[in-house]
Structures are given as structure tokens and as C-alpha cells.
Amino acid sequence: MTNSMAMADPGVDPARLLDAVVSGLRATEASIVRLQAVKEGFLAVAHRIADDLAGSLEHGPSAELAHRSVAAELAAVLHMSDRVVQGRMSQAAELVHRFPETMRAFAEARIGLPHVRQIQDAGARLSDAVRAEFEAVAVAASEGETPHRAKAVVQRVAERLAPRSLTERHRVAQAQRRVWREDLGDGQKLLGLIHSAAIVDGIYDRLTQQAHEVTTANTRAVRGETAPEALGDPADDRTTDQLRADLCADVLLTGTPSGHDTTAGLLGAIHARVEVTVPVLTLINATTGSGGREEQPGELTGGPPIDTDTARILAGDVTSWERVLTHPVTGGVLAVDRYRPGADLRRLLHARDARCRFPTCGLPPSAHDLDHTIDAAYGGPTEAGNLGGLCRRHHVLKHHTSWTVTQRGAGILEWTSPTGRTYIDTPPAPVTFTTTDPYPPPDAAPF
């Protein structure tokens, strides 16, 4: 029976049909993942065969040819480039021999190939002594999550176990910061900038805010709501991307972010807003003069880890940055700076829900609506236990489809799909868990 025939048959219950589709898709995906794991196993064996063949040869270049020869044989079957196949063989061998727990989870379809590659990439620089610890956390964080949502935890634990801290690596990398240009053709050139993540995110956020301000002013000008000399042009139909580019050029060429040949006071007053999560121990070490491996990197909300030096600077008196202080063990939010009466709850939720709270969605807090789990119209209170950050797409989905959500405490949301399946979404912990609480109760007995 085709899908169109099934949907046209009045005797078919759409809900039961959807349930069957979901079940079938889940089973199919698990089978595909298991077969992908089998393929990785074959590639790893091929790499071992190439090693054995290379061992019987005396010269290095000839040994390399053994790997090329095996790769060429597989490439003929896979209809792929033998260079690509040779790289895949090496990658598969590394997975099997250096990441056994990851391979086991892959073979059991608990994680997919994108999760596997993410774990391999993050753990590549780790020593054999700590890789098993890294795998245990990374695999657990990847199960039941999209690669995008698991990425922060995987990167965080890799940073904690890395032989060189992010701060050390950042200082070296910062020495390579630069600006360059490339020809693109058609009279266009690309201007590139390499700088710290915090600086680049701040630049992009400020340009975005300015672009939105220009768009709003243009809309008001179209409606005749502004004076002719004010910011705004009814004929301006530039996209946000185009406005960001033009505003960036304005600032770099003239030092004035005008966007138009008119007054720039409004746009010049806009400052970047970037939320920085800072583990408490990082700030304590800054004030006591201590340092070392116990320091945790900071994080840009919805972005990568940042070095501790930058985190401390941004956690200071710079008013254009939001500082979220977190407990080093539980990862709970201890405080959010720049407290303002009436906005404390919004700041707390913004810090807790570092991404859209619908399962699989990873949009950052800047795109969130604060949704009442139990509608305020039905008596739902406006408090942390009844609010959650949702992107507009999933906010609408909650209110206009059969998807439902229940608060389970501590910010944990339980979603129920139209077919009755449940999915748990837990707020992402902003710091890595440790085994010892540096702030035990006064009467706590030592371990």
C-alpha cells in the first residue's frame, strides 16, 4: 500500500500509522548504524592487513605502497577515491584500537557515526592514560542526544583531560591572529579575521544588533513614522547578511557604524552582548594567585570553551558581557551578574536553558521565547519550575500540536509525542563534573 493510498483510506487511523512509521524508522536507523559499524570494522581489518604486508617490505616508501595497494582494492569495490579510502582505513583502525568503548557503543547502535567522529576528533590529543575516562563520559553524553547537543560536553571533558590546558594553547594560538584577503572573482574579495572566540562573537553580535536596528528603522520609515532626517530609508531592502557586511565596512573604513549617510548615534550606542559562563574555581584562582589543572575553561553560551584569562577579563567590570557563575561540581547556576529588579528570573532561565529545550534542538538563548509549561491562562505560575526557553518553531509546536511537556524538577523537561513516546531533556551543565566537592558542608566527614 502506498502512502497516498493509506492516507486516502478512511479506515486508517493517522495516529496509528504515524506510530508504525516512527517504529519502523527507529529500527531502520539502528540497522543502518550497525552496518556502518561493521563497515568500520572491515576498514580496520584492511588497515591491519596493509600493516602486515608493509612489515614484509624493507623500505619505507615500499611499505607505504602496501597501504595504497590495499586501499586501491577497496576503492574499486566502494566506487570511491583510493586516497579517501586510505584515510578511512586509518581512521577506522584508530577507532577500533584507541576508542574501544566508542566502537562498542557504535556497534550496538547507541550512538551514530557523527557522534563517533566527534569523539575521535576531541580525544585525538589525549594520552592513553586518560582516554578511557574521556570515552566513558563522551559516550554517555552522546547517547540519546544529537551530535550538536553532545558536542559541548565532549569538548569540555576533553579539555579537562588534555595534556596542555586551553589557556596555554590559546596563548600560542593568539600569536597567530591575523587579517587576510582572498580574490573571489566577479569583483568580490573575502576579508578574513582570526581572533579569540570571545572577540569574534562580540563583533558578530554587535553587527547583528545594528543590522536589526537599521531594519526596524527602515520599516518605520516605510510607515511614515519617522522624520525624514532620522535613521531609516524606505527604499532600503538589504538583507540582514548584507547589512552586517555593510556595517562592518562602515566601521572599518570610517570608524562610524552608520549604515546610512545619516546620524549614527543610535547604532554607535549599541554594544555586543555575549554571555560568558565562568566556573567559580577559575575566579578564585585569579584572586588567590593559584592555578594549575584544577582550573576549568569558561564558555561562550552556545559556543566553544574560552581560555581562563579571557573568561576572567570578561567576568570583570565590562558591562557588555553577562557573567554566569557556576558550581564546579554540580554545574548549577550560582549567580548571574548585572541583576536588575524584575529581570532576575529571565536571567536565571537564560543561563539555565543554554539552548532550546525541545529534544534535538540546539538554538542558543538569544532565539528563545520563555514559555509557561502550564499556561498562565490556566493558573500556571511565572516561576523557574514552570518556565522553559523554546525557540519560536518549538514554541508554536507545543501550543498548536499534540506534543506536550511536563516539568520534572531541576529544569528537567519530559516531552510526550503525539504517538505517546516520551523524551527527556535535561539542562546542559555548564561545567564538568568532578568527584570531590570543594565546598562540603562544615559537618561533612572526609572521604
Side-chain angles (χ1 to χ4, degrees):
M1 179 185 298
T2 65
N3 290 340
S4 59
M5 291 173 61
M7 295 304 295
D9 186 347
V12 176
D13 181 359
R16 291 184 61 187
L17 182 60
L18 177 59
D19 183 68
V21 168
V22 172
S23 297
L25 188 59
R26 173 182 289 173
T28 301
E29 179 65 17
S31 297
I32 291 172
V33 170
R34 291 189 183 96
L35 287 173
Q36 287 175 326
V38 171
K39 182 179 179 180
E40 289 294 298
F42 278 126
L43 290 170
V45 171
H47 188 273
R48 177 60 182 271
I49 293 172
D51 281 343
D52 291 342
L53 291 173
S56 64
L57 301 174
E58 297 180 358
H59 304 292
S62 298
E64 168 64 17
L65 287 176
H67 282 268
R68 294 185 186 180
S69 176
V70 172
E73 178 76 22
L74 300 186
V77 175
L78 297 174
H79 305 291
M80 296 171 61
S81 162
D82 61 293
R83 291 182 178 86
V84 172
V85 172
Q86 188 173 349
R88 297 274 181 88
M89 286 165 51
S90 177
Q91 197 172 35
E94 179 193 54
L95 172 62
V96 170
H97 298 297
R98 300 184 67 203
F99 297 88
E101 181 56 36
T102 303
M103 183 61 187
R104 184 177 300 109
F106 187 25
E108 295 172 357
R110 291 186 281 130
I111 61 175
L113 185 58
H115 298 102
V116 170
R117 297 296 184 239
Q118 187 165 271
I119 292 172
Q120 279 188 272
D121 291 344
R125 64 177 178 270
L126 301 181
S127 66
D128 293 341
V130 299
R131 195 175 300 110
E133 179 182 353
F134 163 74
E135 274 197 283
V137 178
V139 169
S142 299
E143 291 185 53
E145 285 285 11
T146 65
H148 176 75
R149 293 180 69 166
K151 184 176 183 179
V153 177
V154 173
Q155 289 184 332
R156 195 179 300 137
V157 68
E159 289 296 343
R160 179 171 65 84
L161 298 172
R164 296 175 63 209
S165 71
L166 175 61
T167 300
E168 294 176 64
R169 302 197 315 274
H170 174 75
R171 289 169 183 164
V172 174
Q174 268 293 87
Q176 307 302 316
R177 63 189 182 276
R178 64 190 179 96
V179 174
W180 76 96
R181 58 184 178 176
E182 295 178 11
D183 288 323
L184 298 179
D186 300 323
Q188 298 285 97
K189 281 194 175 184
L190 177 146
L191 181 69
L193 167 67
I194 294 179
H195 215 298
S196 70
I199 294 297
V200 172
D201 275 9
I203 292 171
Y204 188 83
D205 180 79
R206 188 177 189 222
L207 290 172
T208 300
Q209 290 188 59
Q210 291 171 341
H212 289 166
E213 191 66 40
V214 171
T215 300
T216 300
N218 290 341
T219 301
R220 295 185 63 190
V222 170
R223 297 172 180 169
E225 300 175 3
T226 58
E229 66 276 7
L231 182 68
D233 181 356
D236 190 347
D237 61 354
R238 288 175 292 176
T239 66
T240 299
D241 280 337
Q242 291 170 336
L243 281 167
R244 271 193 290 254
D246 292 345
L247 288 162
C248 183
D250 285 345
V251 172
L252 294 178
L253 291 173
T254 69
T256 304
S258 64
H260 296 285
D261 294 328
T262 55
T263 178
L266 186 60
L267 293 181
I270 294 176
H271 299 284
R273 178 185 178 279
V274 177
E275 186 176 282
V276 181
T277 297
V278 187
V280 170
L281 288 183
T282 297
L283 293 184
I284 291 176
N285 291 335
T287 59
T288 62
S290 62
R293 305 299 304 154
E294 71 274 12
E295 292 189 348
Q296 299 279 346
E299 289 185 6
L300 299 177
T301 298
I306 58 174
D307 64 289
T308 54
D309 290 341
T310 300
R312 287 170 183 148
I313 292 171
L314 298 182
D317 296 327
V318 185
T319 58
S320 59
W321 306 84
E322 297 286 337
R323 178 176 65 174
V324 182
L325 297 180
T326 58
H327 193 283
V329 175
T330 66
V333 176
L334 299 178
V336 180
D337 281 355
R338 296 177 64 190
Y339 168 86
R340 294 177 183 175
D344 56 327
L345 181 58
R346 179 177 292 274
R347 295 188 185 281
L348 173 64
L349 292 167
H350 187 82
R352 184 194 74 184
D353 298 342
R355 48 170 161 70
C356 172
R357 297 302 311 283
F358 187 83
T360 75
C361 187
L363 287 181
S366 58
H368 287 184
D369 296 335
L370 286 184
D371 172 68
H372 284 75
T373 303
I374 301 175
D375 291 352
Y378 295 101
T382 303
E383 60 185 24
N386 190 50
L387 290 170
L390 299 177
C391 69
R392 183 58 54 87
R393 173 186 176 88
H394 293 120
H395 194 178
V396 172
L397 184 78
K398 171 182 175 287
H399 284 285
H400 297 285
T401 71
S402 299
W403 280 89
T404 60
V405 61
T406 303
Q407 295 264 1
R408 294 304 184 194
I412 298 173
L413 302 185
E414 180 181 277
W415 289 85
T416 303
S417 74
T419 63
R421 290 172 171 81
T422 58
Y423 305 88
I424 301 296
D425 187 76
T426 303
V431 297
T432 304
F433 286 19
T434 61
T435 56
T436 304
D437 188 343
Y439 305 107
D443 57 346
F447 289 99

